[in-house]
Amino acid sequence: MADLAPGSTHGRIRSELERRITGGAWPVGTRLPPEPVLARQLGVSRGTLRRALGTLREHGLIEAAPRRGSFVISAVRTTVQSRQIGVVVPSIAKPSAASLVQAIEDELHRHGYSMLFGSSGASSAQESGRVRRMLENGVSGFIAYPIDYEPDVGLYAELKASDVPLVFIDRYLPGLRADAVVADNVSGAYEAVKYLADIGHRRIGFVSTDNLATTSVADRLQGYRQALVAAGLTYDDELVLWRIPVAGAGWELTESQRSENGNLLCEFLSESSPTAVFTLHDRLAFHLHQAAAVLGRRVPDDLSIVAFSDDPLAQTLLPGLTVVEQPRDRIGRLAAQLLVRRIQGSGEEPARYSLATTFLLRRSTAPPSAGRRGRRGPAPPKPRDLAAEAMAVLRANDAGSWTKPSAHQYPHQWNWDSALVSLGWALVDWQRAVREIESLLHAQWISGMLPHIRYDPAHLKGYFPGPDRWPNADRHHAPEIPTSGISNPPVLVTAVRRVAERAPDAVSRHALLSQTFPALERWLNYLARERQLDGCPLISVVHPWETGWDNSPRWDHLQAAGLKPRQPFTRRDTEYVGAEHRPEDRDYDAYLALIELLDGADYDVRRYREVSPFVVYDVFFDACWYRAATDLNAIAESLGARPPFERGELDEFAAAFQERHWDAELNSYFDYDVVAGRRIVVPTPAGIAATLSGLIPRGRAERMWTSYTGSSLDLRPVWTLAPKHPAFDPVCYWRGPVWVHLNWLIALGLATVGLDDEASALERHTIGLVEESGFSEHYSPVDGLGGGAPRFSWPAALVLELLGRNRVGKSVQPIIS
Ligand code: 2M8
């Protein structure tokens, strides 16, 4: 396969030939050596050479004369681009393609472009053949509708790598960062299925073709599952038929396929007895309609049918088919506009556009008749809708490619929030979980540091401090992605591993792991190398916000320094949340002053420690790092790569962890103040949470947990400061309240050391707390009442995660399935 990347063989050959022409070695009029000779001289295949020659032709340097070869016609490269666009679709006969292509062509024409059309059939060989031929003919970019089974991902990756403008339509290739314009398949399917549930159906089926890895199919299935959850129905394999093969290239079915499909559908209707079915597209609805007729079932009296609409067939069926209409005209037009913008050099980040669908209610749906509802016994009990509420919170806080922790109080992307929130998304919309992770990683600094906030430039007024408080940070990250200058507990690696476990298929799993791996490795390496002081392998944490436990009494020693920032400031955090839930002004003075010191040291921890009173080894942060390193090693192994952290390095870290954090007298693990050179002995559950590292022996973990429960009186677990401590405050932020994400992490730790029953009990309790008090930022351990910001993302995501499996660590039964 010809390599198209600039630093690639093709790029090299093209530059070499260009140099000969522009440098005068081949003056205007020179006839180039015949292709086989030139290919041999340059040591490349003829395919690669042709591709390079094609580009030179595009640039106006050479011209091909029939049967005489290629001639140099100019020594100056012209920038005139071809006004032709390549459009490839599986088949023009495919109903979903025809109107898309029409819309694309109209729009391209409006912009002065014309279209070269290719039909990729059902084979990736044909797909890449068509694309390559078009490239040779000098198209300026592509709009591609990838084939249903095993599209040529490598080919499209090559196009991307060579900066050939590319926009996908209808579906996209997971893991490939390219523009894509698709219907909002998840919401469209959700709306249809939710409608069926709302009119009383309890046995709602889904009929699909077998290309579940195709994103449009996966997303419609996802929407189906989400609607079931929202309606309190349980996903039932029996009600999902996905074994129907995609029709051939000409969209035709052979006689035997027709009867085979008919049999499958009849079997499905008789054995699973759905009262309503949502179909992947309307041709399947049409066949289903026929199968129902064969069985003597009437639509909609005995069977309601809704389809995702692909073609005008929907309007011809009697009774008229209720459909989710795809905005095909808008998809085609937007794809063409985007591509033209790309060709004209727009530097926008690649984006995925999901265009809203329209639900068209016709006559193929009706409430289930009493008789049929009774066929499979009584309707399931009215479900609790905690999962639906949780999903609604996530959706409300969804900023597109990341989730705000809460709508007003925290309008940006937070590092450890997003990491944990991706676990919830993974259950309701796996691709969305991947986007959450990707957008976090896009904010990575050149050094590998992954900042604790990725600011949303549209909401800078809503939160203090903004990027202007980290002025020198600008030099360390991509200019268009403003960030803070500190990091967060590295729970992301563990989250990525879990999200990968939930991948819809092996290809997506591999794509997620292989694509995130390098960035995750750089982050852990940054922490292990750039945050080391005095040869100690533990991580130097430079700011209370970096720990995530902002105003925990673990950091009260900072107050002794009486820090004040140079620049004045106005807090915004108490505008939305009562001051009693928030840190004090003097805490903010210290936070801002530390930022000034850190920024002044240009984020170099060694320079910073010279001037700062705050450098700690946070027991929980260190534990998260160790867990992340072992998780990353496991990811590497699953990818067949060499584990990045060697045993020796991990052992050294483990030894330092025990030495600095374990207090044998108090039988617990504590933080360490690097500046004062002593342990910080404050009774919080940070040491218990550190069990997630796998570094704490079971006996010690058990004793810590028993001592915690023993001193917990009747309070809700897990308080963040012992109630006997003078600073205990049940409503103030990190000075006592219970946090759902911390409970989740502690349960993970308990399960890690084998305290499974304790972990389960804590998980159950946590779900109960949310059921009782909603999705709050935190909860009072005294009465369980919610505090801080409302409708918070991580309780929503983690409740979904907890409901979605039986046990931490031994996951696997998603609620939704
Ligand atoms: C809280 O921290 C931010 C600063 O990062 C704030 O108070 O403005 C903490 O609870 C932190 O752990 C959390 O990640 C963040 C967003 O939920 O809020």
Side-chain angles (χ1 to χ4, degrees):
M1 186 181 281
D3 196 349
L4 307 180
S8 64
T9 321
H10 149 258
R12 208 168 30 76
I13 297 306
R14 193 198 57 208
S15 320
E16 166 59 23
L17 297 178
E18 211 169 300
R19 203 180 47 73
R20 289 184 193 182
I21 295 170
T22 54
W26 284 352
V28 172
T30 305
R31 178 180 175 171
L32 268 56
E35 273 181 21
V37 177
L38 192 53
R40 210 169 329 112
Q41 280 175 4
L42 296 167
V44 291
S45 71
R46 283 183 71 182
T48 304
L49 176 64
R50 275 206 199 130
R51 168 84 183 100
L53 293 177
T55 313
L56 296 186
R57 271 199 300 277
E58 257 172 54
H59 292 166
L61 294 172
I62 62 167
E63 200 173 71
R67 284 189 297 281
R68 295 182 50 224
S70 295
F71 290 85
V72 177
I73 55 164
S74 167
V76 186
R77 186 169 151 166
T78 63
T79 50
V80 183
Q81 274 163 330
S82 124
R83 310 281 291 179
Q84 292 220 89
I85 302 297
V87 176
V88 268
V89 306
S91 160
I92 193 67
K94 192 171 168 116
S96 54
S99 47
L100 277 173
V101 172
Q102 183 63 61
I104 292 170
E105 206 261 340
D106 284 349
E107 191 63 23
L108 288 178
H109 180 76
R110 250 170 37 79
H111 291 272
Y113 286 79
S114 53
M115 180 181 94
L116 210 56
F117 174 75
S119 189
S120 44
S123 93
S124 61
Q126 186 167 327
E127 184 175 37
S128 44
R130 294 294 199 269
V131 168
R132 288 183 191 288
R133 176 66 50 77
M134 289 186 196
L135 275 175
E136 283 167 16
N137 289 333
V139 295
S140 297
F142 278 99
I143 296 183
Y145 183 139
I147 59 171
D148 290 285
Y149 301 110
E150 301 181 359
D152 193 341
V153 184
L155 164 80
Y156 291 117
E158 271 186 74
L159 293 178
K160 280 297 297 168
S162 329
D163 291 331
V164 177
L166 170 67
V167 177
F168 289 117
I169 47 171
D170 188 80
R171 66 266 318 256
Y172 52 91
L173 302 182
L176 196 71
R177 271 171 47 74
D179 292 314
V181 189
V182 300
D184 188 343
N185 291 297
V186 179
S187 306
Y190 177 93
E191 197 177 355
V193 177
K194 187 70 178 24
Y195 171 76
L196 292 171
D198 288 347
I199 60 172
H201 290 278
R202 288 290 168 265
R203 293 192 62 76
I204 305 171
F206 179 47
V207 167
S208 168
T209 45
D210 61 0
N211 51 330
L212 292 187
T214 300
T215 57
S216 51
V217 183
D219 285 350
R220 288 175 209 176
L221 178 58
Q222 192 71 259
Y224 165 78
R225 298 169 87 138
Q226 286 182 17
L228 293 185
V229 172
L233 300 173
T234 315
Y235 177 92
D236 179 354
D237 271 338
E238 210 188 292
L239 284 168
V240 178
L241 172 65
W242 55 269
R243 280 182 295 135
I244 300 184
V246 176
W251 201 242
E252 75 290 351
L253 288 180
T254 62
E255 201 41 55
S256 71
Q257 278 170 329
R258 218 187 298 279
S259 72
E260 174 65 9
N261 290 355
N263 290 344
L264 279 173
L265 289 165
C266 284
E267 215 173 88
F268 171 70
L269 286 179
S270 349
E271 287 177 11
S272 306
S273 293
T275 60
V277 174
F278 168 63
T279 66
L280 185 74
H281 52 62
D282 38 18
R283 181 145 93 173
L284 287 174
F286 193 76
H287 292 315
L288 187 72
H289 200 282
Q290 288 173 328
V294 169
L295 297 174
R297 298 204 189 155
R298 288 160 308 154
V299 176
D301 302 356
D302 302 322
L303 181 71
S304 285
I305 304 181
V306 186
F308 214 98
S309 174
D310 273 331
D311 67 51
L313 199 58
Q315 289 150 33
T316 63
L317 210 62
L318 278 176
L321 187 60
T322 298
V323 291
V324 178
E325 191 185 49
Q326 296 210 57
R328 262 178 272 138
D329 188 65
R330 283 193 294 127
I331 294 179
R333 286 181 186 279
L334 180 59
Q337 288 160 9
L338 273 177
L339 191 73
V340 170
R341 287 218 297 270
R342 287 259 172 242
I343 292 171
Q344 292 168 350
S346 90
E348 299 158 42
E349 285 252 304
R352 194 173 300 148
Y353 299 84
S354 301
L355 306 191
T357 54
T358 313
F359 185 58
L360 294 178
L361 192 56
R362 298 205 185 94
R363 306 291 298 279
S364 62
T365 41
S369 69
R372 290 203 56 72
R373 200 185 306 135
R375 259 175 95 112
R376 301 282 299 205
K382 177 92 185 93
R384 193 201 53 213
D385 59 1
L386 193 61
E389 281 174 41
M391 277 177 6
V393 170
L394 285 190
R395 287 200 188 287
N397 293 341
D398 185 1
S401 36
W402 70 70
T403 314
K404 293 170 275 186
S406 74
H408 302 294
Q409 182 81 347
Y410 305 109
H412 305 291
Q413 181 175 32
W414 261 260
N415 182 329
W416 73 322
D417 294 65
S418 255
L420 297 173
V421 160
S422 71
L423 295 167
W425 279 121
L427 277 157
V428 292
D429 179 349
W430 193 80
Q431 291 299 342
R432 179 63 188 75
V434 172
R435 284 214 298 286
E436 187 84 28
I437 294 164
E438 282 172 353
S439 54
L440 194 51
L441 292 175
H442 287 159
Q444 186 161 40
W445 280 25
I446 299 158
S447 62
M449 204 271 287
L450 202 61
H452 101 297
I453 300 178
R454 171 189 174 155
Y455 289 105
D456 179 350
H459 289 107
L460 296 183
K461 290 213 177 78
Y463 179 81
F464 177 83
D468 56 319
R469 287 287 170 154
W470 318 86
N472 281 318
D474 277 357
R475 294 191 273 147
H476 296 273
H477 57 72
E480 69 281 9
I481 305 184
T483 73
S484 69
I486 51 174
S487 203
N488 242 182
V491 291
L492 177 65
V493 185
T494 307
V496 168
R497 199 174 164 200
R498 294 228 161 182
V499 169
E501 280 169 17
R502 300 243 189 255
D505 54 73
V507 175
S508 314
R509 179 178 316 121
H510 187 270
L512 169 65
L513 292 177
S514 57
Q515 274 159 30
T516 53
F517 181 82
L520 296 174
E521 181 183 9
R522 289 198 313 118
W523 183 25
L524 295 190
N525 266 328
Y526 160 83
L527 291 172
R529 321 258 178 268
E530 302 302 320
R531 290 299 189 88
Q532 266 198 16
L533 289 175
D534 311 326
C536 174
L538 302 180
I539 318 292
S540 306
V541 168
V542 295
H543 197 288
W545 284 342
E546 193 159 58
T547 71
W549 299 44
D550 302 11
N551 65 338
S552 168
R554 293 159 69 196
W555 320 132
D556 276 359
H557 64 276
L558 177 57
Q559 290 311 334
L563 293 180
K564 291 263 186 233
R566 275 180 288 109
Q567 274 181 275
F569 66 92
T570 310
R571 289 173 65 173
R572 305 286 317 264
D573 59 310
T574 43
E575 285 173 22
Y576 310 106
V577 164
E580 71 280 15
H581 298 252
R582 297 291 305 173
E584 294 178 29
D585 283 348
R586 60 180 188 147
D587 295 314
Y588 261 74
D589 278 342
Y591 300 153
L592 271 297
L594 289 182
I595 292 178
E596 287 176 354
L597 294 177
L598 188 62
D599 193 73
D602 198 20
Y603 302 94
D604 176 338
V605 69
R606 288 161 199 110
R607 283 171 58 194
Y608 169 77
R609 70 96 64 98
E610 302 298 327
V611 290
S612 173
F614 190 85
V615 179
V616 296
Y617 296 141
D618 167 357
V619 64
F620 174 68
F621 199 111
D622 279 333
C624 291
W625 184 89
Y626 189 87
R627 167 98 193 194
T630 50
D631 278 332
L632 197 66
N633 276 356
I635 291 176
E637 271 166 28
S638 76
L639 292 172
R642 204 171 55 83
F645 296 98
E646 285 177 9
R647 195 62 264 161
E649 183 179 355
L650 292 177
D651 286 348
E652 264 180 44
F653 189 96
F657 183 93
Q658 302 298 351
E659 198 232 327
R660 292 294 155 102
H661 293 307
W662 172 242
D663 190 315
E665 263 172 55
L666 296 171
N667 259 310
S668 194
Y669 285 81
F670 294 103
D671 308 298
Y672 188 88
D673 179 347
V674 178
V675 177
R678 59 168 176 258
R679 242 175 245 126
I680 304 169
V681 179
V682 179
T684 75
I688 298 176
T691 48
L692 63 79
S693 60
L695 284 171
I696 297 185
R698 181 187 162 119
R700 285 184 186 177
E702 206 163 0
R703 279 197 296 283
M704 284 195 291
W705 186 242
T706 314
S707 137
Y708 162 78
T709 46
S711 59
S712 166
L713 317 170
D714 282 335
L715 300 185
R716 313 295 183 100
V718 174
W719 41 248
T720 38
L721 181 64
K724 62 171 195 278
H725 192 279
F728 174 78
D729 181 334
V731 299
C732 182
Y733 216 33
W734 287 94
R735 302 178 80 81
V738 173
W739 297 72
V740 165
H741 73 291
L742 200 62
N743 279 10
W744 189 91
L745 290 162
I746 290 177
L748 173 65
L750 293 173
T752 302
V753 294
L755 296 173
D756 287 348
D757 293 342
E758 290 78 353
S760 295
L762 180 57
E763 287 167 359
R764 281 196 303 277
H765 174 86
T766 306
I767 295 173
L769 186 62
V770 177
E771 236 168 2
E772 190 183 322
S773 300
F775 301 89
S776 289
E777 185 173 8
H778 46 74
Y779 304 81
S780 158
V782 175
D783 52 20
L785 287 180
R791 291 178 71 70
F792 218 81
S793 294
W794 50 21
L798 294 174
V799 156
L800 279 171
E801 209 280 337
L802 289 175
L803 292 173
R805 66 189 157 79
N806 299 325
R807 288 270 323 102
V808 163
K810 298 188 186 132
S811 99
V812 269
Q813 295 299 324
I815 16 172
I816 324 189
S817 66

